[in-house]
């Protein structure tokens, strides 16, 4: 299983996100997401999610579909 991290600098605009990589555990993904939010000064106004076993769906415009998504 792999967890893929996504950071949203503005939690009110989820169209703008930053992919932060793939991790072996949810805990690693969460820690990296919080670190990434700190780097872009968005800890308070931003958000993140970690998706399990994400795959790109070309039929849906290339968006990522994950088996499970957690914060």
């Amino acid at each position: 299983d792999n967890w893929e991290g996504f950071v949203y600098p503005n939690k009110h605009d989820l169209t703008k996100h930053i992919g932060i990589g793939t991790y072996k555990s949810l805990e690693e993904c969460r820690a990296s997401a919080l670190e990434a939010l700190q780097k872009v000064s968005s800890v308070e106004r931003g958000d993140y999610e970690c998706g399990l076993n994400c795959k790109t769906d070309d039929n849906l415009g290339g968006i990522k579909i994950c088996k499970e998504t957690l914060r």
Side-chain angles (χ1 to χ4, degrees):
D1 288 344
N2 287 309
W3 290 90
E4 192 166 345
F6 305 94
V7 168
Y8 304 94
N10 179 349
K11 63 185 165 192
H12 301 293
D13 182 3
L14 301 182
T15 63
K16 294 184 174 80
H17 66 277
I18 302 165
I20 59 167
T22 304
Y23 305 90
K24 294 288 181 195
S25 71
L26 177 59
E27 292 75 22
E28 283 181 52
C29 181
R30 286 176 173 157
S32 292
L34 290 173
E35 185 178 310
L37 282 172
Q38 287 175 339
K39 286 182 181 177
V40 295
S41 302
S42 291
V43 173
E44 295 299 319
R45 67 173 190 242
D47 204 358
Y48 72 89
E49 53 187 5
C50 295
L52 178 63
N53 297 331
C54 301
K55 301 214 184 296
T56 301
D57 190 326
D58 293 328
N59 295 327
L60 295 174
I63 65 168
K64 299 265 184 174
I65 304 295
C66 305
K67 181 177 179 182
E68 181 177 9
T69 305
L70 298 173
R71 184 168 194 279

